[in-house]
């Protein structure tokens, strides 16, 4: 079977690291900035970055509703940090009026932005992750956490008592940044979701 084509949303945030991680995990990886690119991919990674800026760039590039539509139609997606925020059905502390993060509704969950604190409160640690052997090195940078999960959502990892990784169907999300560690198991898990293996 040929490698799946996985896009990385490249409007704002750390796209290069995800492209490299996806290629090492066995996918063909491209950047997504246009509707035709979104329409072509078998799966999509929404990287870390600034969730309100990414929301408004999605709207400016006419990708917000097409992406919501593809997610509703079952597009596999993986969101890291800001990507987790955007994949939520509900966002707490979504930002100032008029500059709010806009939920894509890919996972039935409520996420709190910047829940672990500001940039200076960033941290990393080893956490158990359901479906992966051993622990995962989790790098949290102005990270969110999940406050509520719906009945169809599987909790995959917790840190400091909070939910930090979830999966619902073909949609995966982490509050941390596995792309910066060199450990490709989370990306490999996502590639396997895309290929249905």
């Amino acid at each position: 079977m040929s490698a799946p084509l996985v896009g990385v949303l490249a409007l704002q945030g750390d796209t290069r690291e995800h492209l490299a991680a996806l290629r090492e995990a066995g996918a063909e990886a491209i950047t997504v900035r246009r509707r035709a690119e979104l329409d072509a991919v078998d799966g999509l990674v929404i990287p870390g970055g600034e969730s309100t800026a990414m929301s408004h760039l999605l709207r400016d590039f006419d990708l917000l509703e097409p992406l919501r539509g593809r997610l509703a139609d079952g597009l596999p997606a993986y969101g890291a940090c800001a990507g987790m925020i955007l994949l939520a059905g509900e966002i707490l502390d979504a930002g100032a009026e008029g500059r709010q993060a806009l939920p894509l509704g890919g996972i039935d969950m409520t996420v709190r932005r910047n829940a672990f604190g500001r940039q200076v409160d960033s941290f990393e640690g080893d956490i158990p992750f359901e479906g992966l052997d051993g622990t995962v090195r989790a790098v949290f940078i102005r990270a969110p956490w999940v406050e509520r999960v719906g009945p169809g959502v599987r909790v995959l990892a917790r840190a400091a008592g909070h939910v930090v990784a979830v999966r619902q169907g073909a949609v995966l999300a982490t509050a941390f940044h596995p792309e910066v560690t060199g450990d490709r198991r989370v990306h490999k898990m996502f590639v396997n979701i895309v290929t249905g293996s």
Side-chain angles (χ1 to χ4, degrees):
M1 182 182 157
S2 61
L5 181 62
V6 179
V8 178
L9 188 66
L11 303 179
Q12 191 264 346
D14 57 343
T15 58
R16 187 178 70 241
E17 294 90 344
H18 283 287
L19 290 167
L22 286 165
R23 290 173 182 138
E24 289 174 34
E28 185 181 335
I30 63 166
T31 56
V32 171
R33 291 185 189 91
R34 294 178 190 82
R35 174 71 185 268
E37 293 161 342
L38 176 63
D39 291 344
V41 297
D42 302 312
L44 182 72
V45 171
I46 305 173
E50 211 295 305
S51 56
T52 55
M54 290 169 77
S55 289
H56 292 278
L57 287 167
L58 278 168
R59 198 162 51 198
D60 293 347
F61 280 74
D62 293 323
L63 288 173
L64 184 64
E65 292 309 323
L67 178 51
R68 283 178 173 154
R70 287 227 51 204
L71 287 167
D73 289 341
L75 176 71
Y78 165 51
C81 197
M84 170 186 257
I85 294 166
L86 294 179
L87 284 171
E90 180 185 20
I91 302 168
L92 302 178
D93 301 326
E97 192 66 39
R99 290 292 301 161
Q100 294 183 325
L102 306 170
L104 295 168
I107 297 178
D108 180 13
M109 64 178 172
T110 302
V111 171
R112 184 174 298 280
R113 286 177 75 231
N114 303 334
F116 282 105
R118 301 166 49 131
Q119 193 84 18
V120 295
D121 301 310
S122 299
F123 67 100
E124 56 186 89
D126 297 318
I127 60 172
F129 194 106
E130 184 186 312
L132 299 179
D133 292 333
T135 58
V136 170
R137 189 72 177 170
V139 177
F140 295 89
I141 304 168
R142 289 177 55 214
W145 67 49
V146 179
E147 297 234 337
R148 178 201 61 85
V149 294
V153 179
R154 240 174 61 217
V155 173
L156 301 178
R158 296 175 188 271
H162 298 285
V163 174
V164 296
V166 294
R167 177 177 175 185
Q168 183 174 16
V171 184
L172 177 68
T174 61
F176 53 89
H177 293 266
E179 74 279 6
V180 301
T181 66
D183 183 343
R184 301 308 186 215
R185 291 177 297 158
V186 173
H187 287 82
K188 183 64 179 170
M189 175 184 276
F190 179 58
V191 171
N192 289 340
I193 290 170
V194 174
T195 60
S197 60

